[in-house]
C-alpha cells in the first residue's frame, strides 16, 4: 500500500483542527485502517490525549522531528500518517515542505498527500485559503468546515464562503456536522475517542457509564461524519488501498492502555 | 397473566388536539388497573400534569439538552417501568426523531416493555401524512391513531379521506365530543378519571357528571380493546396462539 501523509491544519486558531484530526483518526480506526499521528502542539498535545499510543508529539520546526515523520513514511507499519498542526504552523510548514521537496515526491507519485485545511467563518480564516492554495498542486486539498461546535453566535456567511471557495484550484470540501454541545463536552471530559464514547467504552476497553442520550447523539454524528468522509476521493483511495490492511490505530491504543 | 411494562407515547403534530386529556385518561385507566404509571411531562414551563399527579410526574424541559438527557437516560435506565409520555406538539418531531435515533424503542422492547404510540391527528392531509410517517418510523411499536371527534372529519377532501382510510385500517381510538360544561369539569385540577369512576368526585350537575362518566367509559373500553390486541400479540410471540 502506498503511504499517505495527511496534514490537518489552519493558521487561524480555534477553528477545530484537533477535532478534525480526532474525527479522522476515529473514522480510519472504524474502517480498520492503520494510522499514526503526529501532534505538533508541544509540549502537551491534545490529540495525544485521545490517542496516546498512536500519537507522537513533535516540534515540526526541528529537523529531527521532521525526519521522524518524513523519513519513516514508507517504512512505518501504519501507511497513513496524520500531522495535526498547531495554530499558525500551517503556512510555515507548507513552505518548508515545498522547499525540501516533499510535495515534489508526492507529485512523482511515491506517496499520496492530503490536506484538511480547517477554516472558520471569519474573514481571516477565509483569507488563508488563497495563501494555502498555492501549495496544493498534486495533492488532495480539502477545505474543511467544522460545524461541530457551531453556535448561534458563530454563523457562516455562505455567500462570502462560496466566493472564496470558487477561486480555489483543485479544492474539495468536507463539512464536519454539528454535534450536540453537551455530547461534545462529555466526550472531551471522558478523554476517549468518539467511537468509544458511542460504544460506552472507557479508553481501557472496559464498559463505561456514559449517558444513553449523549451516546446516541455521538453515534448519530459519527454516521453523518462517515457519510461526509466517504465522499472524499482521498478517503476512497485510502480505503481501497487498505482492504485487508490490519488492525486499527484505536486498537493499538487499546492494547497499550490495557497493558498499562 | 402478568403484563409487561408499557411505554405510552402520546403525541400530535398540532397543538390543542386533546393530547394531555388522552395522557390523563391513559394514566387513570392504568391506575384503575392497579398500576402506578410514571408520567413524563415535557410541556415546559407550565408542566400541567405535575400539578395533577403530584409525586408521579417527571417534568423536563425537552427544549434543552439537559432535559432530553434526563428523560431518555431515565427511561433507558429503568425500561421495565410503565410510563406515559405527554409530548407537546412543539417537540413532537424532535422527540420522535431522538427516540428513533437513540434506539429507545429497541431498548424498551429488549427489556420486555410494550411500546405504544398514540398519534392524535387532525383531519387534514398534512397531519394524516405525518401520522403515516410516524407509523413507518417505528415498525416494531404498536401505532395507534387517535381521532378527536371535536376536530371534525376528513370527509369532503379526497386526499384526506384516502389517507384517513389508510391510517385507520387497523382501527382508530376516538375521543368523543364533550360539551363545554363537561370539559370544564374534566379540566378542574382536582379531577381525575380514576376518581370519577371510583365515585370520589362528582360534577355539580348530574347531566355533566353522566357525560364525563360516559366519556371515560367509552374511552376505557377502547383502551381495553387495544390492550387485548397487545396481549394477543404477546401470546402469539409466546407461541400460545
Amino acid at each position: 500500500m502506498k503511504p499517505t501523509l495527511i496534514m490537518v491544519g489552519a493558521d487561524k486558531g480555534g477553528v477545530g483542527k484537533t477535532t478534525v484530526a480526532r474525527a479522522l483518526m476515529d473514522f480510519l480506526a472504524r474502517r480498520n485502517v492503520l494510522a499514526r499521528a503526529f501532534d505538533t502542539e508541544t509540549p502537551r498535545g491534545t490529540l495525544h490525549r485521545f490517542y496516546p499510543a498512536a500519537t507522537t508529539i513533535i516540534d515540526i520546526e526541528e529537523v529531527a522531528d521532521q525526519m521522524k515523520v518524513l523519513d519513516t513514511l514508507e517504512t512505518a507499519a501504519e501507511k497513513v500518517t496524520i500531522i495535526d498542526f498547531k495554530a499558525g504552523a500551517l503556512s510555515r510548514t507548507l513552505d518548508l515542505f515545498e522547499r525540501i521537496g516533499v510535495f515534489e515526491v508526492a507529485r512523482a507519485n511515491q506517496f499520496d498527500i492530503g490536506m484538511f485545511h480547517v477554516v472558520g467563518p471569519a474573514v481571516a480564516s477565509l483569507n488563508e485559503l488563497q495563501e494555502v492554495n498555492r501549495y496544493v498542486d498534486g495533492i488532495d486539498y480539502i477545505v474543511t468546515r467544522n460545524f461541530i461546535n457551531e453556535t448561534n453566535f458563530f454563523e457562516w456567511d455562505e455567500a462570502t464562503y462560496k466566493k472564496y471557495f470558487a477561486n480555489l484550484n483543485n479544492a474539495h470540501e468536507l463539512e464536519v456536522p454539528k454535534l450536540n454541545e453537551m455530547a461534545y463536552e462529555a466526550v472531551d471530559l471522558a478523554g476517549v475517542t468518539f467511537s468509544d464514547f458511542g460504544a460506552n467504552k472507557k479508553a481501557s476497553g472496559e464498559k463505561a457509564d456514559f449517558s444513553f442520550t449523549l451516546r446516541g447523539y455521538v453515534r448519530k454524528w459519527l454516521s453523518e461524519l462517515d457519510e461526509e468522509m466517504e465522499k472524499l476521493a482521498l478517503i476512497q483511495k485510502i480505503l481501497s488501498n487498505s482492504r485487508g490492511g490490519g488492525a486499527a490505530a484505536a486498537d493499538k491504543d487499546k492494547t497499550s492502555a490495557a497493558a498499562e | 397473566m402478568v403484563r409487561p411494562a408499557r411505554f405510552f407515547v402520546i403525541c400530535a403534530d398540532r397543538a390543542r388536539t386533546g393530547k394531555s386529556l388522552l395522557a390523563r385518561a391513559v394514566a387513570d385507566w392504568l391506575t384503575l388497573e392497579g398500576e402506578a404509571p410514571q408520567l413524563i411531562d415535557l410541556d415546559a414551563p407550565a408542566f400541567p400534569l405535575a400539578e395533577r399527579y403530584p409525586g408521579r410526574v417527571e417534568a423536563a424541559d425537552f427544549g434543552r439538552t439537559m432535559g432530553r438527557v434526563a428523560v431518555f437516560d431515565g427511561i433507558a435506565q429503568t425500561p421495565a417501568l410503565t410510563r406515559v409520555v405527554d409530548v407537546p406538539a412543539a417537540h413532537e418531531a424532535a422527540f420522535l426523531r431522538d427516540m428513533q435515533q437513540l434506539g429507545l424503542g429497541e431498548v424498551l422492547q429488549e427489556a420486555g416493555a410494550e411500546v405504544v404510540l398514540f398519534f392524535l391527528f387532525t383531519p387534514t392531509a398534512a397531519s394524516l401524512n405525518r401520522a403515516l410517517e410516524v407509523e413507518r418510523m417505528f415498525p416494531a411499536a404498536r401505532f395507534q391513531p387517535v381521532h378527536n371527534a371535536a376536530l371534525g372529519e376528513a370527509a369532503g377532501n379526497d386526499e384526506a379521506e384516502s389517507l384517513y382510510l389508510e391510517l385507520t385500517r387497523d382501527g382508530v381510538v376516538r375521543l368523543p365530543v364533550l360539551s363545554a360544561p363537561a370539559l370544564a369539569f374534566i379540566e378542574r385540577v382536582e379531577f381525575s378519571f380514576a376518581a370519577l369512576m371510583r365515585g370520589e368526585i362528582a360534577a355539580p350537575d348530574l347531566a355533566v357528571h353522566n357525560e364525563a362518566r360516559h366519556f371515560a367509559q367509552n374511552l376505557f373500553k377502547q383502551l381495553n380493546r387495544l390492550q387485548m390486541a397487545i396481549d394477543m400479540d404477546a401470546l402469539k410471540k409466546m407461541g400460545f396462539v
Side-chain angles (χ1 to χ4, degrees), chain A residues 2-209:
Chain A
K2 194 158 62 165
T4 304
L5 174 66
I6 298 178
M7 299 173 287
V8 181
D11 281 326
K12 191 178 179 319
V15 289
K17 293 173 292 294
T18 301
T19 304
V20 171
R22 282 167 59 196
L24 200 51
M25 288 290 281
D26 212 292
F27 174 83
L28 293 172
R30 276 180 283 116
R31 293 292 184 277
N32 290 321
V33 175
L34 203 60
R36 62 176 183 160
F38 291 94
D39 187 343
T40 69
E41 196 188 317
T42 49
R44 291 172 58 186
T46 308
L47 184 62
H48 183 262
R49 186 159 82 83
F50 295 96
Y51 293 93
T55 306
T56 308
I57 298 175
I58 57 165
D59 181 350
I60 198 69
E61 313 275 338
E62 292 290 329
V63 175
D65 280 350
Q66 292 163 14
M67 289 166 68
K68 268 187 202 167
V69 182
L70 300 172
D71 291 7
T72 56
L73 277 179
E74 286 180 298
T75 54
E78 303 90 346
K79 291 301 172 199
V80 176
T81 298
I82 294 173
I83 311 178
D84 177 18
F85 290 115
K86 67 180 176 187
L90 183 63
S91 296
R92 278 205 313 276
T93 313
L94 291 176
D95 192 52
L96 172 79
F97 279 10
E98 185 72 289
R99 279 189 284 117
I100 64 177
V102 176
F103 297 137
E104 209 47 55
V105 176
R107 283 168 205 138
N109 222 13
Q110 284 185 30
F111 58 85
D112 293 324
I113 299 191
M115 176 161 55
F116 287 78
H117 184 186
V118 188
V119 293
V123 171
S125 189
L126 296 177
N127 279 335
E128 276 179 37
L129 293 172
Q130 288 298 339
E131 173 68 22
V132 168
N133 192 232
R134 61 200 173 100
Y135 296 102
V136 304
D137 182 28
I139 76 172
D140 277 281
Y141 177 52
I142 299 149
V143 176
T144 307
R145 293 200 289 166
N146 180 18
F147 288 90
I148 192 168
N149 286 330
E150 186 195 34
T151 70
N152 293 331
F153 308 104
F154 198 59
E155 298 279 351
W156 280 89
D157 177 7
E158 255 334 281
T160 308
Y161 167 72
K162 292 281 179 214
K163 201 173 75 187
Y164 276 86
F165 187 80
N167 291 327
L168 301 176
N169 298 318
N170 188 33
H172 307 276
E173 276 183 286
L174 172 72
E175 283 188 7
V176 178
K178 177 172 168 51
L179 172 62
N180 175 281
E181 64 281 8
M182 197 176 275
Y184 181 82
E185 282 298 312
V187 178
D188 204 53
L189 281 172
V192 296
T193 67
F194 292 111
S195 293
D196 279 352
F197 189 88
N200 203 24
K201 283 195 289 192
K202 294 180 187 171
S204 61
E206 290 163 4
K207 188 177 179 298
D209 196 18

Side-chain angles (χ1 to χ4, degrees), chain B residues 104-120:
Chain B
L104 190 67
E106 289 81 351
V107 169
L108 291 161
Q109 278 154 350
E110 275 169 26
E114 294 283 352
V115 178
V116 183
L117 213 62
F118 286 105
F119 191 97
L120 290 95

